Amino acid sequence: LIEGCLIHHCLDSTDGRKDAHGITGGSVSGLVIRDTEIHTFSGDGIQFDPGRTLPGWTDVLLERCMIWLEPLKEEANGFAAGVVPGENAVDTKANSEAPRSSMIIRDSIFHGFRDGLISNMAALNIKENVDVLIDRVTLYNNEIALRLRGPTPPGHPYGSWVSVHNTVIYDGDTAVRYEDDIQNLVIWNTTLGTEITSPFVEAEAENSNLDIRNLLIAGDTLPTEAQGASNMAVPLTSFAAPNGGDFHLVAGSPAIDSGETLQEITMDRDGILRPQGEAFDIGAYEWCEGDCETHDPPDAGVDGGPSNDGSTMNDGSGHYQDGDTSENGANTNGCSCRSVRNHHKSSKFPLSALGCLVAVILLFVSLRTKSFTCS
């Protein structure tokens, strides 16, 4: 368990830029990363597994987290002010000889992945031999929100399998870039909001297998990929405050009760049960009048729902509060961390930003360490 951590300023300017990830590891299994903020890094916020080691990683849950980048306000560890040093919020790599790696990304926010030092910069870069569920996620201010990639033989004969549910995307160059004849790509009950240049971009993927249903687009027309009967383009008056990034439906929206029933979708972006009316609403949000019936989740694990305590970093509008959330404010250079072991005793030690990174890596190779928290 990695919970309640603030991980930032993982920066390595060697040879111009070198990967320094917020959280990374090898053949991890059953890892939960929850209520954690990661920002200002020169690699990825989270990457599994850079070494593609056997027997492979699996069962990773990322929940109620925020990962973001922005231009550096001042010079930092060899990077000039104004530079966006990192790559992706989440990047997947997996050995093709291992069983397919699984990950759930849930109730999280990713933004600021644009104008960086790499091409095709994406918030979520999902590739190789993985099966990933992206559920109840908001992505904004990104060059590419979702970069979803198929097989690239001979080195990577298996592409990613990706399901996107209850997701909101707005303010970016590309919402979904799908590549290399990706198969098993599912996009259900998702809202593409304002200021998106290209809803979909196809890259060497003419033979891809896409299943797009209950997709809601702020605009006049549906893209070629989303011509199904349950998809809909609606005017901005259908949303609560689209210019402020709030794409909740308002009374009278044509998206209400117009969707296809999808048994796998039990709640919306806010955790409200579906359906609230006669039928599913189209898009990431269900509309209801008065008190809405919400999901009562089980205790969280990799296969469970959000925790019962109802805690969240989300302010209720789909946005997290940006910036340093530590007690010491924006000038903090790291965090205070403790490693909780089997005998339930803990030892506190102050860590620099690099120290936080090293401690998180060490978590994955220490059989004694069961959880890692920051305060």
Side-chain angles (χ1 to χ4, degrees), residues 43 83 86 88-89 117 194 229 295 333 358 365:
V83 169
N88 314 109
L117 302 176
T194 53
H295 178 61
N333 291 320
V358 172
V365 298

Side-chain angles (χ1 to χ4, degrees), residues 276-296:
Q276 289 290 313
E278 296 179 357
F280 270 43
D281 296 347
I282 299 175
Y285 295 106
E286 279 283 306
W287 181 85
C288 64
E289 193 169 11
D291 293 333
C292 302
E293 186 178 3
T294 58
H295 178 61
D296 184 16

Side-chain angles (χ1 to χ4, degrees), residues 151 157 342:
N342 284 344

Side-chain angles (χ1 to χ4, degrees), residues 220-362:
D220 300 325
T221 58
L222 289 170
T224 302
E225 292 86 350
Q227 293 296 312
S230 67
N231 304 316
M232 182 179 290
V234 296
L236 295 186
T237 53
S238 295
F239 303 107
N243 293 329
D246 185 351
F247 296 94
H248 288 84
L249 301 176
V250 297
S253 169
I256 296 172
D257 292 343
S258 297
E260 177 182 344
T261 298
L262 300 170
Q263 298 296 332
E264 295 87 346
I265 307 294
T266 59
M267 67 183 84
D268 78 346
R269 175 65 181 87
D270 290 335
I272 294 171
L273 291 179
R274 293 185 187 267
Q276 289 290 313
E278 296 179 357
F280 270 43
D281 296 347
I282 299 175
Y285 295 106
E286 279 283 306
W287 181 85
C288 64
E289 193 169 11
D291 293 333
C292 302
E293 186 178 3
T294 58
H295 178 61
D296 184 16
D299 289 334
V302 172
D303 298 319
S307 58
N308 281 328
D309 62 10
S311 61
T312 181
M313 295 169 64
N314 196 315
D315 65 10
S317 65
H319 290 81
Y320 288 84
Q321 299 301 314
D322 288 355
D324 195 326
T325 55
S326 66
E327 292 180 0
N328 296 326
N331 293 324
T332 299
N333 291 320
C335 57
S336 173
C337 304
R338 78 178 166 271
S339 171
V340 183
R341 303 183 185 276
N342 284 344
H343 48 60
H344 304 295
K345 292 182 181 180
S346 63
S347 58
K348 283 196 172 183
F349 46 95
L351 294 177
S352 66
L354 178 60
C356 275
L357 175 64
V358 172
V360 173
I361 295 173
L362 289 176

Side-chain angles (χ1 to χ4, degrees), residues 111-170:
H111 68 88
F113 293 87
R114 66 188 317 163
D115 303 322
L117 302 176
I118 63 169
S119 59
N120 293 324
M121 190 173 183
L124 303 184
N125 185 34
I126 310 301
K127 65 182 187 290
E128 301 182 14
N129 188 29
V130 301
D131 186 351
V132 176
L133 170 63
I134 301 166
D135 188 17
R136 301 172 60 205
V137 164
T138 299
L139 304 107
Y140 66 94
N141 189 30
N142 299 299
E143 177 184 340
I144 303 170
L146 302 174
R147 186 180 182 192
L148 312 175
R149 304 164 69 177
T152 54
H156 307 295
Y158 303 113
S160 62
W161 296 351
V162 184
S163 295
V164 182
H165 301 167
N166 301 307
T167 290
V168 179
I169 303 173
Y170 66 97

